[in-house]
Amino acid sequence: ALEVVAEHLLSKDMRWRIAAVRSLRFVSAEEVFARVSALFTAPDRTSPVARDRLSTVLWSATPMESPRWLDFLTGRLAVEAHPKVRALLVSALSPLGSPAVEAIIAAATDAADAAVLKEVPNALERLRGYLAQKRQWEGASAGVIAAVRAAAAAATPKGPRQKALKRALLLLQR
């Protein structure tokens, strides 16, 4: 029954969509991957309704436990042109933990990626929260902070990317 409800993830009716998102907590990791990854590749993914669907899934703490997520999201990030969808992809990388740090840091390369630059510090802070919730932040914190610090040092001085990464450092170190 939960899989039938999960089929309504693409519904335009908000009530069905919320029920479908809630049902994702009770289906297998591969089922979650199949349903949610389809949202990132849908033809209408750049429309406001589709971005709202993606946001709903991302903010509902949908379990993203399939090992295929990291490769899928980084691959989508490399080919996606729409800035707001790219920002959602960066946000989706957060629950993947330490392996996603490099992908989050590398997501935005210039000022034209303003939506992504704005999301990078938030995504890294959420990543910290996920790791802390799993009691893994203490062991991973030094590596995460070192990676962000190195990327900030390599960025153009006083450029938007460096500012975003320095903001991320402040959020991670507090």
Side-chain angles (χ1 to χ4, degrees), residues 106-128:
T109 55
D110 59 16
D113 247 349
V116 176
L117 283 171
K118 183 178 177 184
E119 185 58 33
V120 166
N122 300 332
L124 288 168
E125 184 179 28
R126 277 193 304 281
L127 181 135
R128 175 184 175 223

Side-chain angles (χ1 to χ4, degrees), residues 39-162:
L39 297 177
F40 286 106
T41 58
D44 71 335
R45 70 186 173 279
T46 60
S47 73
V49 172
R51 290 193 320 262
D52 184 49
R53 281 193 298 249
L54 281 169
S55 293
T56 303
V57 169
L58 295 176
W59 286 103
S60 69
T62 299
M64 297 174 79
E65 296 161 357
S66 173
R68 300 188 307 168
W69 275 114
L70 184 61
D71 291 337
F72 173 78
L73 292 172
T74 53
R76 288 301 309 159
L77 199 54
V79 297
E80 184 60 56
H82 194 276
K84 290 182 180 177
V85 176
R86 285 177 53 78
L88 288 169
L89 285 163
V90 170
S91 181
L93 286 164
S94 297
L96 302 182
S98 298
V101 171
E102 292 298 326
I104 293 170
I105 292 170
T109 55
D110 59 16
D113 247 349
V116 176
L117 283 171
K118 183 178 177 184
E119 185 58 33
V120 166
N122 300 332
L124 288 168
E125 184 179 28
R126 277 193 304 281
L127 181 135
R128 175 184 175 223
Y130 286 116
L131 289 174
Q133 184 179 17
K134 292 180 179 181
R135 302 193 192 301
Q136 296 173 355
W137 176 245
E138 295 301 320
S141 64
V144 172
I145 291 171
V148 175
R149 186 174 285 130
T156 305
K158 299 191 184 207
R161 185 167 192 269
Q162 187 182 52

